[in-house]
Amino acid sequence: MSRRLLLLRVIVLVTALLGINYVTWRWLFSVHWSAWWIAVPLVIAETYSLVDSLLFGMAMWRLKERGEPPPPIPDATVDVFITTYNEPIDLVRGTAVAAVAIRHPHRTWILDDGNRPEMGRLAEELGIGWITRSGDWAGMPRHAKAGNLNNALQATDGEFLLILDADQVPSPDILDRTLGYFTDPEVGLVQTPQYFVNVPEDDPLGSQAPLFYGPIQQGKDGWNSAFFCGSNAVIRREALMQVGIARYVHEVGVGVNRALRSARSVVARARKELGPEETAVAKALDEVLYDVNRARREIARGEALLDVTYRFQHRIGEIRRRLVAEDMQLVAADLEVISQLEGLAEASDQSLATVSLESIDRVTARALSPLGAIETVEALVRAVDVDRSDEAMPIMPMATISVTEDMATCMRIHGLGWRTVYHDEVLAHGLAPEDLESMLTQRLRWAQGTAQVMFRENPLVQKRLRWPQRLMYFATMWSYLSGFAALVYIAAPVVYLTIGVLPVQALSSDFFLRLVPFLVVNQLLFFVAAAGRPTWRGQQYSLALFPVWIKSVTSAFGNVFLGRDLDFSVTPKVRKEDERLRWDLVRPQLIAMGLLTLAAVVGVVRLAVGQASVLGTSLNLVWVVFDLVIFSVIIRAVRYRGYAPETAEAPEAPDEPDEPDGAAGTALPPTSPASEGDR
């Protein structure tokens, strides 16, 4: 065990003990219940941040620094996929030329979801493949990038896939540095960092993520939970196809089970409507119910769906044929009765119509066997869409449950027992958004996709995942709930400074003796984990983007549970030529800054006139100043006019890699050292 890892584990233990002690004490002894409307939200927010801190500490407990990779597999066949939709041709050209220059033998493909003839000409010029959507996708859900990749998987056959976004220019040795991990037959994916070359040193939009593509991914790697981040990753085709097949079987199984549950309800309802004399029919329906339950048990045991449904349909067919034969005998007897009645009618000069109606009433007064129910059972099971006619492809290896396909796909890969690797070396260089609107679009899409996965396939209930894996995935999803906690951290000092309501019982020595050591050790954990990486910008944006995080969760909830549309936007790769200062994009943050400033002024006035305590006012003024410093990043972001290489040197690739953010930081009290709110 390295000294750094040993130190991290000691700090993690101390942080956990101090944090649990503080939050437990807060709940039991210091909540100001008479002001519950602010006191309870604050202690809930602190509890949220403690959980965030504990999850981060768990990741750091197994932080893995892999060092030099194994030598590559010499005869591995590789397809290099460059995904594009509407990016400029010249941008894709740069990535494609670099992909062709990769030293390990491979085939390069442009996956052109925009189906542009000029992109086809570029591919022909470079001597590489050009894949567009097949005709099967016409009129079907396209599933954005996931659909683009799934379509390409059907047209290629390499053992391994290197996936690159259109702006991610690979190094010539990217395959030489990653393929060696696949000598382990259980490794299904190797993820490398994303690093952006068009970012100034002060990183005004928080594009570089030195914490996520560093200790956070390394910590997840230690728990076999490092996940796919959409680009700069090598994936074993077998793992992906296994995911697709397993998902297909699962979804067909869900359909069959749903059909069987409905069938059971139909038969049970028909059974209740039978009279006491209809014992033969009741027996037949009981047989159907037994077969429905037996089919469900066979599916639960893992028997082949084809065999189960075939046997079930065969047995139901036999019961139906037997009942039809019995009904035909009853119908023949009824016709005889009708004939006799009509003869009596002629003898008594009664109306034929009247006698016929009486005859029919007599016959139908005794219900025939409920063949309709049995036919419904057969139809329900036959109706299960094995071909998945609502999709262009029945088997979708890349997950389509989210606007971001990466996390859900990797979670399924882990669920099938595959291992993943995080290789901590920058092997591709990309482009970050160069304006605030594009950055907000990107962060919202990341957050919405993660929230969709949380609502649709919550890792905590995925039985195929080990518990550490469940928690590592959940940590990423949990971090996007920080927007709600941020609202409380902003409101608490405003409430005290303006109306004097304190959310704790008292600012006593007990309070400070528990809080201060926790904050100090918590920040020490953050500092040691970062290992010199610049993480301040990430801390700022974890709070400053609170409206984005809130919108991502609420919109994903509406999409998953209420069926509302969730717009998908590709992150622009070029700066929008708009000279306006887009203050409208950060209106909630500006309102928060205004409230904090106004509260500070009111607090000083209240202190001056003797309506507030020195200790309470001073503490909350420090809190306000901290929040304002955090929010100051949005002023820089609005005024940012894009990267100017002629006036600033392009940053060197760091010794330790970066990418979509991992740094956190809440307003006071910053009880969480790091989250993953920007991934």
Side-chain angles (χ1 to χ4, degrees):
M1 183 187 302
S2 68
R3 291 182 179 178
R4 181 188 175 207
L5 182 57
L6 178 60
L7 177 60
L8 277 172
R9 290 187 174 184
V10 171
I11 299 175
V12 166
L13 284 175
V14 175
T15 302
L17 291 173
L18 292 174
I20 293 171
N21 175 65
Y22 169 71
V23 170
T24 301
W25 176 82
R26 285 279 287 115
W27 275 105
L28 295 178
F29 303 108
S30 74
V31 177
H32 190 183
W33 292 106
S34 61
W36 64 266
W37 49 272
I38 185 63
V40 172
L42 180 59
V43 74
I44 290 174
E46 290 178 299
T47 305
Y48 164 85
S49 295
L50 172 63
V51 173
D52 200 33
S53 178
L54 294 175
L55 290 171
F56 177 76
M58 179 181 173
M60 295 306 98
W61 189 268
R62 293 283 293 269
L63 186 141
K64 178 178 288 188
E65 297 177 305
R66 288 185 174 270
E68 190 67 12
I73 304 172
D75 56 350
T77 59
V78 183
D79 289 314
V80 177
F81 288 168
I82 302 170
T83 60
T84 178
Y85 175 62
N86 61 0
E87 292 83 358
I89 302 296
D90 287 343
L91 184 147
V92 179
R93 176 189 292 274
T95 302
V97 169
V100 171
I102 293 174
R103 285 195 287 264
H104 189 280
H106 66 283
R107 292 173 297 180
T108 301
W109 306 84
I110 295 177
L111 313 188
D112 181 18
D113 222 11
N115 195 16
R116 292 171 286 176
E118 57 270 30
M119 193 65 74
R121 290 192 290 270
L122 171 63
E124 183 179 4
E125 172 192 334
L126 297 177
I128 61 178
W130 178 53
I131 299 177
T132 60
R133 299 285 185 121
S134 67
D136 295 337
W137 292 87
M140 296 293 181
R142 294 184 66 84
H143 301 303
K145 182 179 175 182
N148 193 11
L149 288 166
N150 284 330
N151 179 67
L153 283 167
Q154 301 300 312
T156 57
D157 59 6
E159 298 171 81
F160 302 97
L161 313 168
L162 168 59
I163 297 177
L164 300 168
D165 283 345
D167 63 303
Q168 292 289 334
V169 179
S171 301
D173 60 347
I174 186 169
L175 293 176
D176 293 332
R177 303 290 291 174
T178 53
L179 283 176
Y181 291 108
F182 292 100
T183 54
D184 180 348
E186 295 183 356
V187 170
L189 177 144
V190 176
Q191 177 68 54
T192 71
Q194 294 180 35
Y195 179 78
F196 305 106
V197 297
N198 61 332
V199 176
E201 187 175 353
D202 62 344
D203 193 9
L205 299 181
S207 298
Q208 308 288 18
L211 201 64
F212 180 79
Y213 277 125
I216 288 179
Q217 276 282 54
Q218 289 175 318
K220 292 180 185 295
D221 194 17
W223 293 105
N224 187 27
S225 303
F227 61 78
F228 178 36
C229 297
S231 184
N232 304 2
V234 182
I235 308 179
R236 191 189 295 268
R237 179 184 291 268
E238 179 187 353
L240 268 183
M241 298 310 296
Q242 191 179 108
V243 165
I245 293 170
R247 191 65 189 176
Y248 168 77
V249 171
H250 169 76
E251 290 179 358
V252 172
V254 168
V256 171
N257 268 308
R258 187 181 296 118
L260 290 173
R261 285 197 302 271
S262 300
R264 186 172 60 180
S265 299
V266 168
V267 175
R269 189 163 55 249
R271 178 72 172 78
K272 289 180 180 179
E273 294 173 357
L274 295 178
E277 73 282 358
E278 297 177 282
T279 56
V281 177
K283 180 181 178 182
L285 292 181
D286 287 341
E287 290 180 36
V288 174
L289 281 174
Y290 175 80
D291 284 325
V292 168
N293 291 327
R294 179 165 61 179
R296 296 187 68 192
R297 289 193 300 270
E298 290 171 346
I299 292 173
R301 288 198 301 267
E303 295 189 30
L305 283 173
L306 181 63
D307 294 339
V308 173
T309 53
Y310 174 78
R311 290 195 298 266
F312 176 76
Q313 292 279 23
H314 182 70
R315 291 192 296 265
I316 299 302
E318 288 180 347
I319 295 172
R320 178 175 54 80
R321 285 189 293 272
R322 190 180 74 223
L323 287 178
V324 168
E326 293 174 357
D327 277 351
M328 291 303 295
Q329 294 175 1
L330 291 172
V331 168
D334 291 337
L335 288 174
E336 179 66 25
V337 171
I338 291 173
S339 176
Q340 293 173 1
L341 288 172
E342 287 175 345
L344 291 173
E346 291 176 0
S348 60
D349 295 328
Q350 274 190 294
S351 165
L352 180 62
T354 302
V355 174
S356 296
L357 287 174
E358 290 176 352
S359 304
I360 292 171
D361 287 343
R362 178 176 174 181
V363 171
T364 57
R366 172 183 45 76
L368 298 176
S369 62
L371 281 172
I374 295 178
E375 290 173 354
T376 299
V377 170
E378 289 186 295
L380 282 168
V381 177
R382 281 199 306 269
V384 174
D385 189 5
V386 177
D387 294 330
R388 298 190 67 191
S389 57
D390 60 332
E391 295 281 4
M393 299 165 50
I395 295 178
M396 296 278 195
M398 288 286 179
T400 59
I401 64 167
S402 165
V403 295
T404 52
E405 74 296 331
D406 44 20
M407 177 183 291
T409 299
C410 197
M411 194 163 67
R412 294 174 182 177
I413 288 175
H414 279 127
L416 291 176
W418 293 95
R419 296 179 55 243
T420 60
V421 168
Y422 176 65
H423 179 66
D424 192 26
E425 179 183 6
V426 175
L427 295 170
H429 297 77
L431 298 177
E434 292 201 56
D435 61 86
L436 178 61
E437 184 177 4
S438 298
M439 182 269 278
L440 294 176
T441 298
Q442 181 189 66
R443 305 299 172 84
L444 178 62
R445 178 167 56 84
W446 285 344
Q448 283 176 328
T450 303
Q452 281 179 305
V453 177
M454 178 173 66
F455 292 136
R456 286 196 169 110
E457 295 185 10
N458 189 326
L460 294 181
V461 298
Q462 300 303 311
K463 295 181 180 179
R464 290 185 172 184
L465 294 176
R466 297 177 180 175
W467 265 107
Q469 292 176 316
R470 299 187 199 187
L471 292 173
M472 288 297 96
Y473 276 105
F474 183 71
T476 301
M477 301 170 185
W478 178 259
S479 67
Y480 284 109
L481 300 176
S482 63
F484 300 100
L487 284 179
V488 181
Y489 289 139
I490 293 167
V494 171
V495 168
Y496 177 79
L497 292 171
T498 54
I499 61 177
V501 174
L502 195 66
V504 298
Q505 289 284 5
L507 297 176
S508 61
S509 58
D510 282 344
F511 175 77
F512 288 106
L513 287 175
R514 286 174 171 82
L515 174 62
V516 174
F518 172 49
L519 292 180
V520 171
V521 177
N522 194 50
Q523 290 302 309
L524 179 62
L525 172 61
F526 184 61
F527 176 79
V528 174
R533 296 173 176 87
T535 58
W536 170 242
R537 198 60 89 205
Q539 287 182 285
Q540 287 184 292
Y541 273 113
S542 69
L543 175 67
L545 292 185
F546 75 91
V548 175
W549 311 144
I550 292 173
K551 181 179 179 180
S552 70
V553 175
T554 56
S555 60
F557 182 90
N559 172 256
V560 173
F561 296 109
L562 305 178
R564 296 173 182 168
D565 289 336
L566 190 65
D567 293 335
F568 176 85
S569 299
V570 176
T571 304
K573 298 300 190 296
V574 294
R575 187 173 71 87
K576 295 185 177 181
E577 296 299 329
D578 188 349
E579 297 303 320
R580 296 177 299 160
L581 297 180
R582 297 295 307 276
W583 298 108
D584 58 299
L585 297 174
V586 291
R587 186 175 291 113
Q589 292 93 326
L590 294 175
I591 292 173
M593 294 177 73
L595 289 174
L596 288 166
T597 303
L598 179 62
V601 173
V602 172
V604 171
V605 171
R606 293 184 71 251
L607 178 63
V609 298
Q611 294 182 357
S613 71
V614 174
L615 179 60
T617 302
S618 300
L619 177 63
N620 282 275
L621 285 175
V622 171
W623 192 338
V624 165
V625 170
F626 180 82
D627 282 355
L628 291 174
V629 170
I630 290 284
F631 279 122
S632 67
V633 69
I634 66 168
I635 308 297
R636 178 76 174 89
V638 172
R639 298 177 62 85
Y640 180 56
R641 311 316 295 164
Y643 182 59
E646 68 276 5
T647 59
E649 294 184 4
E652 295 291 332
D655 293 333
E656 301 286 351
D658 320 11
E659 158 9 71
D661 221 24
T666 55
L668 274 172
T671 52
S672 171
S675 69
E676 300 163 64
D678 278 355
R679 173 66 194 95

